[in-house]
Amino acid sequence: MTTADALPDSAVVSLTTAKQMRALAHPLRLRILGELRIDGPRTVGALADLVDEAPGTLSYHLGKLAEFGFVEEAPELATDRRERWWRAAHDATRITPSAADAPADERLASAAMLHQVADVYAAALHAAVDAQQGQPRGWVDAATGGDTVAYLTVAELAEASAELEAVLGKWHAAGDRDRPGVQAVQFIVHASRRP
C-alpha cells in the first residue's frame, strides 16, 4: 500500500509505462509537479520565479508533464489571453518499483524515477533543516525526524509499511488548506530491506 492508496482513484496517477517514468524522472519536472500539488494552480511566470528558471524552459517541461497526464491547463483562471495557468491533474502518484522479471527498459526507467524521487526527498529534508532556523519555536518543537532498524520478515515489513501508509493517509485526509493557522507539512517515509 502507498499513500496514494488512501486516496480515491480519480486523485491518483499510476506510473505504468517506462515512458511515463522517464518523463517524470527529471528533477525540475518533479519540483513543478510538487509545487502545483502543494500550493495549487500557478502561471508559467509564477512557477518560473519560484523555481528560478526561464518561462520558456518551464513551458517545455509543463508540456512534457501534460503529455503524460501529470498536469493540465487551467484556462478559467486566466485574466487575459496571454496568461497560462497550470494545475496538477492528480493529488498523488503511485510508484511501484519494477519486478526483477520486468522488461529491461521498465526496470531502468523505474530505477531512474525512484532515484530522482530519493534526491527530491533529500533536498526537501535539507530545505526543512535550513528553514527551521526561521520558524516559530512551536513549529520546530512539533516536528520530528529519525530512523531505526528493525529485524523483520517480509510479512512484517509489509504490515509495518501498511501501518505507516495508514498514518500518512489519515493526516492527508484531515488536511484542509483553508483552515486558519495551517501550513503545508511534508511527511517523508521510506522503509525497505537494507542492501
Side-chain angles (χ1 to χ4, degrees), residues 117-135:
V117 168
D119 288 346
V120 167
Y121 289 166
L125 290 171
H126 285 289
V129 168
D130 293 342
Q132 281 185 339
Q133 296 176 24
Q135 293 176 347

Side-chain angles (χ1 to χ4, degrees), residues 24 26-40 42-43 47-48 50-51 53-54 57-63 65 70-71 86-88 120:
L24 197 54
H26 187 285
L28 182 55
R29 291 181 195 155
L30 284 169
R31 181 150 183 224
I32 292 167
L33 183 57
E35 293 295 340
L36 291 174
R37 284 181 175 163
I38 293 167
D39 291 324
R42 297 209 177 190
T43 64
L47 280 168
L50 183 68
V51 300
E53 289 286 344
T57 301
L58 263 287
S59 291
Y60 170 78
H61 287 293
L62 284 162
L65 288 168
F70 298 114
V71 301
W86 293 86
R87 72 171 139 247
V120 167

Side-chain angles (χ1 to χ4, degrees), residues 178-189:
D178 296 326
R179 284 184 303 142
V182 300
Q183 296 289 323
V185 173
Q186 184 173 18
F187 294 89
I188 297 173
V189 174

Side-chain angles (χ1 to χ4, degrees), residues 42-193:
R42 297 209 177 190
T43 64
V44 171
L47 280 168
D49 290 342
L50 183 68
V51 300
D52 196 27
E53 289 286 344
T57 301
L58 263 287
S59 291
Y60 170 78
H61 287 293
L62 284 162
K64 282 295 178 190
L65 288 168
E67 180 182 337
F68 290 94
F70 298 114
V71 301
E72 59 193 16
E73 284 195 66
E76 72 280 4
L77 299 175
T79 57
D80 63 48
R81 291 181 148 184
R82 294 172 300 167
E83 203 175 57
R84 289 186 75 185
W85 283 77
W86 293 86
R87 72 171 139 247
H90 306 89
D91 293 335
T93 304
R94 184 175 289 121
I95 302 169
T96 305
S98 293
D101 60 350
D105 67 328
E106 184 181 315
R107 287 193 320 272
L108 290 171
S110 175
M113 174 72 223
L114 293 170
H115 280 290
Q116 282 300 325
V117 168
D119 288 346
V120 167
Y121 289 166
L125 290 171
H126 285 289
V129 168
D130 293 342
Q132 281 185 339
Q133 296 176 24
Q135 293 176 347
R137 189 83 208 157
W139 284 99
V140 175
D141 291 344
T144 189
D147 72 301
T148 189
V149 174
Y151 296 88
L152 306 175
T153 65
V154 170
E156 290 168 336
L157 174 58
E159 182 181 348
S161 294
E163 289 174 7
L164 291 168
E165 293 295 340
V167 168
L168 297 180
K170 169 190 169 183
W171 290 107
H172 176 79
D176 177 0
R177 73 176 67 206
D178 296 326
R179 284 184 303 142
V182 300
Q183 296 289 323
V185 173
Q186 184 173 18
F187 294 89
I188 297 173
V189 174
H190 184 88
S192 63
R193 190 183 109 181

